[in-house]
Amino acid sequence: MKKDGHIHTPYCPHGTLDSFQEYIEKAIKSGFDEITFTEHAPLPLNFIDPTPDQDSGMNINKLESYLSDLNDLKKQYRKDIIISSGLEIDFISGFEHEIISFLNIYGKYLDDSILSVHFLHFQNTYTCIDFSKNTYLEFIKQVGSPISVYRLYYKTLMDSITSDLGKYKPKRIGHITLVHKFQHALSEKVDDQEEIVSILKEIKHQHLQLDLNSAGLAKPYCMESYPPPPYIIMAKQLGIPLVFGSDAHQVNDLHQFYDEFKLFIENGE
């Protein structure tokens, strides 16, 4: 099965207005058998989004419309491609109860979802570490060093993997090396091999899937997939299910770099 399991939509407040149909028609034309739309889920109502426009998640008032649109599209394209209804759920330290409550209400309507870390908690504030290079570098100053930020990220990521979020907890862990997004803005490379290996082993232990996310290759300060190829090989050797995701926020980015990674998915090398 040729699948793209991480796709955003016109419901993304920081994305584009490219239509569902444009994404679907491109996927069919590109020979994909299955796609999952994984829009950023609404953030907890009592969480203050630290991004300037507070546009990290979908408006809760639009969620039912989003799910309804997907149900209609599944029927419309049922003979051409498998369309799964999904969300990208943010794991936010300190908001586990709110995440569970949300999943208990809406999880039954989802076919396939992703659990991701974008926000890091430090000294009673939250920072969206992938928002911009300046935000990233400023956060490093606050925390003290690049390695300290990396360790905080992987600690939060590990908490997301091991947390009990109920029966509807997403089965796939998103872009596990997102902390690399601005790595080339740093003066030296951070050695985080031990942390990544621990993350992969825990994903295996928890019987979860790995988001093989190609979006980092298009980011000028990252220039690698999330995770990089050596860890994709390791994940394959561990028997972790890999699901390609282009993390597209516009139609032009759909299936980006798929050909570079299809051998990892299909043959393991």
Side-chain angles (χ1 to χ4, degrees):
M1 292 284 286
K2 191 174 180 182
K3 175 178 178 178
D4 191 334
H6 192 155
I7 305 171
H8 293 276
T9 75
Y11 281 87
C12 180
H14 59 264
T16 66
L17 295 178
D18 290 353
S19 69
F20 280 112
Q21 287 83 357
E22 289 177 278
Y23 285 102
I24 295 166
E25 295 291 346
K26 180 174 179 178
I28 294 169
K29 186 177 180 180
S30 301
F32 278 74
D33 303 293
E34 183 175 355
I35 55 175
T36 300
F37 287 107
T38 52
E39 195 46 75
H40 292 284
L43 299 175
L45 293 177
N46 55 337
F47 175 74
I48 300 175
D49 185 349
T51 63
D53 294 328
Q54 297 190 323
D55 59 354
S56 298
M58 187 195 315
N59 187 318
I60 187 69
N61 296 322
K62 297 183 178 180
L63 182 54
E64 290 190 10
S65 177
Y66 168 77
L67 294 171
S68 176
D69 285 354
L70 285 176
N71 283 333
D72 291 342
L73 291 164
K74 288 179 191 180
K75 297 172 185 175
Q76 181 181 344
Y77 288 96
R78 64 183 180 276
K79 294 182 180 179
D80 305 303
I81 191 169
I82 298 170
I83 298 172
S84 294
S85 302
L87 289 170
E88 183 174 10
I89 308 290
D90 270 288
F91 179 85
I92 307 172
S93 295
F95 287 83
E96 291 86 349
H97 178 74
E98 289 84 352
I99 297 168
I100 293 169
S101 296
F102 176 85
L103 289 170
N104 283 343
I105 296 171
Y106 294 102
K108 60 187 174 183
Y109 302 111
L110 305 177
D111 305 312
D112 178 29
S113 288
I114 297 171
L115 186 65
S116 297
V117 171
H118 298 93
F119 302 102
L120 295 185
H121 185 227
F122 181 72
Q123 293 185 345
N124 297 319
T125 62
Y126 291 87
T127 298
C128 182
I129 59 156
D130 67 317
F131 177 73
S132 71
K133 181 185 75 170
N134 288 341
T135 297
Y136 181 81
L137 295 176
E138 183 59 33
F139 188 58
I140 287 174
K141 290 181 183 178
Q142 294 173 20
V143 178
S145 66
I147 186 61
S148 295
V149 169
Y150 273 54
R151 286 173 179 163
L152 178 58
Y153 172 77
Y154 289 118
K155 168 64 167 62
T156 308
L157 185 64
M158 184 66 80
D159 288 345
S160 77
I161 295 166
T162 59
S163 63
D164 181 1
L165 298 179
K167 64 183 292 188
Y168 297 112
K169 177 178 178 175
K171 295 180 174 60
R172 187 155 65 259
I173 303 300
H175 42 56
I176 65 166
T177 55
L178 185 65
V179 72
H180 289 183
K181 183 174 179 179
F182 302 105
Q183 62 181 342
H184 291 293
L186 303 175
S187 58
E188 59 185 45
K189 184 173 178 61
V190 176
D191 182 2
D192 57 356
Q193 178 176 340
E194 182 178 344
E195 288 83 357
I196 298 173
V197 171
S198 294
I199 290 293
L200 290 176
K201 288 181 177 179
E202 191 59 35
I203 289 174
K204 169 64 175 179
H205 178 69
Q206 297 289 338
H207 305 289
L208 297 170
Q209 303 169 352
L210 181 67
D211 174 38
L212 175 48
N213 191 306
S214 65
L217 285 162
K219 309 301 181 185
Y221 291 100
C222 183
M223 298 191 294
E224 66 183 23
S225 58
Y226 311 123
Y231 300 106
I232 299 173
I233 294 171
M234 184 179 298
K236 192 75 174 182
Q237 292 170 341
L238 286 169
I240 297 171
L242 304 177
V243 180
F244 173 81
S246 57
D247 206 347
H249 286 68
Q250 58 182 349
V251 171
N252 285 343
D253 293 339
L254 189 65
H255 317 320
Q256 57 186 338
F257 306 106
Y258 176 82
D259 287 343
E260 283 86 338
F261 296 102
K262 64 182 179 181
L263 290 179
F264 291 118
I265 302 166
E266 295 168 3
N267 301 321
E269 294 192 324

